[in-house]
């Protein structure tokens, strides 16, 4: 209030406001970034709690986390809130960021393996137990280039499993499947033994590979044409070569006996297989001759019969032992046979072969009788001499008497 000498008065007024000081944060922590604890999807985090100051008022502090608390992987806001008596608030905020740096882990990744191709195929099927995978925060995706039971070509194929988690950590499981061709080529037909007779008769061809009629070569060998073995391979062309070195093949002349031809099939992987073609050429069998009496007595008829060969217009000729006859069946007298009594029959086959058979006839000579006498007479003596003959059975067959001198 101001008053002058004249008594004039004036006033001036203003307000004085006293305010409480706001709480001050002395050391609010900065953002914290840490890796996860091994095998855990997060970690416990420690920090120094912030300090607060307010000289004019009491205050209270609240926080959503405390040092040492567990924080999951990811960003978490830690907030301290300070409230004074006037209800004013002050905050301290910072972020705790836990990084998942741990990659997924495969527990049983398969080992490398070597397998063979399937027969008649150029590939192989392989089955395996799929690996298991674990992760501290869980696997979000598991991919593989191949699955168990897949078909693999010849060569090496890397099978790769890729596991990833939500943080982008990746782990690989790899193994190699190596497919090799160790399967030899396969012959379409490896034939059973071919049997033929030197007269040009095919005796057996179980596999049916003889292509043309067999031709006799003057009854000393036969010409045989047959389908030579062929082979196939699952991984390409099989090459068949003859490796026996005999110089014989289909269309060659094969002599009496056994001939083994060897064919070898090879593929491009060094695998091979052998097939044997066995050709057996038999000599002509002798003609079977039957004799109704092989030991006849003198002046006895004998019948000889040669087997029927089934050859059209076959001429049977008999010779030997003093006999010369024609016909499949002949009758001769034992007196016409000369020792040693071997009689041969021959037949000229249309192939040029001469078929032979023989029989031996042993003619039995008539036995001489046994002669006995009843006495002995000397020269000049008189008397009666009786001679008696007996057969082999002791029967009397003749008696002679003589009186002397």
């Amino acid at each position: 209030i101001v008053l002058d000498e004249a008594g004039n008065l004036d006033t001036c007024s203003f307000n004085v406001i006293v305010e409480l000081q706001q709480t001050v944060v002395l050391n609010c922590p900065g953002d914290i970034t840490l890796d996860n604890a091994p095998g855990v999807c997060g970690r416990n985090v420690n920090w120094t709690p912030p300090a607060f100051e307010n000289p004019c008022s009491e205050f209270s502090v609240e926080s959503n986390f405390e040092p040492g608390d567990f924080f999951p992987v990811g960003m978490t806001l830690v907030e301290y809130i300070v409230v004074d008596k006037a209800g004013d608030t002050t905050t301290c905020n910072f972020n705790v960021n836990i990084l998942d740096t741990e990659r997924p882990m495969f527990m049983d990744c398969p080992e490398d393996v070597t397998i063979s191709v399937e027969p008649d195929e150029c590939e192989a099927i392989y089955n395996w137990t799929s690996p298991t995978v674990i992760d501290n925060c869980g696997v979000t995706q598991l991919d593989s280039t191949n699955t168990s039971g897949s078909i693999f070509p010849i060569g090496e194929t890397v099978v790769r499993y890729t596991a990833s988690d939500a943080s982008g950590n990746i782990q690989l499981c790899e193994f190699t499947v190596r497919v090799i061709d160790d399967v030899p080529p396969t012959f379409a037909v490896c034939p059973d033994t071919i049997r033929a007779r030197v007269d040009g008769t095919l005796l057996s061809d179980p596999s049916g590979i003889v292509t043309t009629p067999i031709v006799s070569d003057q009854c000393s060998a036969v010409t045989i044409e047959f389908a030579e073995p062929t082979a196939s391979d699952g991984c390409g062309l099989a090459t068949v070569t003859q490796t026996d070195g005999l110089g014989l093949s289909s269309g060659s002349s094969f002599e009496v006996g056994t001939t083994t031809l060897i064919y070898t099939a090879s593929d491009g992987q060094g695998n091979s297989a052998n097939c044997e073609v066995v050709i057996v050429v038999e000599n002509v069998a002798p003609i079977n001759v039957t004799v109704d009496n092989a030991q006849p007595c003198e002046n006895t008829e004998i019948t000889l019969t040669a087997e029927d060969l089934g050859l059209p217009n076959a001429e049977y000729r008999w010779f030997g032992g003093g006999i010369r006859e024609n016909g499949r069946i002949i009758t001769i007298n034992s007196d016409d046979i000369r020792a040693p009594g071997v009689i041969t029959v021959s037949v000229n086959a249309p192939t040029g072969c001469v078929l032979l058979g023989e029989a031996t006839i042993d003619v039995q000579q008539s036995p001489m009788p046994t002669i006995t006498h009843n006495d002995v007479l000397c020269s000049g003596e008189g008397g009666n001499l009786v001679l008696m003959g007996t057969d082999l059975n002791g029967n009397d067959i003749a008696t002679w008497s003589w009186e002397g001198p």
Side-chain angles (χ1 to χ4, degrees), residues 198-199 216-222 253-257 281 283 351-353:
V198 75
D199 63 355
S216 176
D217 302 334
Q218 300 301 314
C219 212
S220 62
V222 288
S253 181
F254 296 90
E255 297 180 347
V256 173
V281 179
N283 215 331
T351 58
C353 293

Side-chain angles (χ1 to χ4, degrees), residues 390-402:
T390 57
D391 61 17
L392 296 178
N393 295 320
N395 300 315
D396 293 336
I397 56 175
T399 301
W400 298 269
S401 297
W402 178 75

Side-chain angles (χ1 to χ4, degrees), residues 103-378:
R103 295 187 296 175
M105 179 183 298
F106 284 96
M107 301 302 295
D108 45 9
C109 189
E111 300 288 338
D112 295 344
V113 66
T114 298
I115 58 176
S116 300
V117 295
E118 301 290 333
D120 299 323
E121 299 290 342
C122 199
E123 55 196 15
I125 297 174
Y126 181 56
N127 293 283
W128 66 88
T129 301
S130 298
T132 56
V133 60
I134 59 175
D135 186 74
N136 59 318
C137 291
V139 176
T140 58
Q141 187 170 353
L142 178 63
D143 299 316
S144 65
T145 56
N146 303 84
T147 58
S148 179
S150 295
I151 298 175
F152 294 86
I154 281 185
E156 294 185 352
T157 301
V158 177
V159 178
R160 179 179 296 109
Y161 282 84
T162 303
S164 57
D165 61 18
S167 298
N169 298 306
I170 295 175
Q171 181 64 282
L172 299 180
C173 160
E174 293 181 340
F175 63 97
T176 300
V177 177
R178 179 171 177 257
V179 179
I180 61 173
D181 177 13
D182 57 357
V183 178
T186 302
F187 281 95
V189 175
C190 192
D192 293 324
T193 299
I194 300 172
R195 294 185 179 274
R197 201 164 55 209
V198 75
D199 63 355
T201 301
L202 178 62
L203 300 177
S204 66
D205 177 24
S207 302
I209 67 169
V210 176
T211 56
T212 59
I214 295 176
V215 178
S216 176
D217 302 334
Q218 300 301 314
C219 212
S220 62
V222 288
T223 298
I224 302 177
E225 293 187 9
F226 56 89
E228 295 183 305
T230 60
S232 61
D233 187 75
C235 285
L237 181 66
T239 302
V240 179
T241 56
Q242 194 171 340
T243 55
D244 49 69
L246 298 178
L248 301 174
S249 60
S250 175
S252 296
S253 181
F254 296 90
E255 297 180 347
V256 173
T258 299
T259 302
T260 301
L261 306 180
I262 301 175
Y263 293 82
T264 300
S266 304
D267 62 14
Q269 304 295 325
N271 304 304
S272 63
N274 289 336
C275 170
E276 293 185 353
V277 177
V278 179
I279 299 175
V280 177
V281 179
E282 300 178 2
N283 215 331
V284 290
I287 300 173
N288 183 37
V289 177
T290 58
V291 182
D292 64 349
N293 187 357
Q295 292 182 322
C297 294
E298 296 172 334
N299 193 26
T300 301
E301 287 191 346
I302 309 162
T303 298
L304 292 86
T305 304
E307 68 174 305
D308 187 358
L309 300 176
L311 300 176
N313 303 317
E315 295 185 4
Y316 293 78
R317 294 182 174 87
W318 301 81
F319 57 90
I323 301 299
R324 288 192 175 276
E325 297 285 345
N326 294 326
R328 189 173 72 84
I329 302 174
I330 62 172
T331 299
I332 58 177
N333 191 286
S334 61
D335 288 350
D336 298 329
I337 299 174
R338 294 198 300 267
V342 178
I343 300 175
T344 302
V345 61
S346 70
V347 176
N348 291 328
T351 58
C353 293
V354 178
L355 310 180
L356 300 175
E358 65 179 32
T360 300
I361 299 175
D362 184 12
V363 179
Q364 304 297 307
Q365 301 296 319
S366 299
M368 295 298 294
T370 300
I371 301 176
T372 59
H373 54 85
N374 63 338
D375 199 359
V376 176
L377 295 178
C378 295

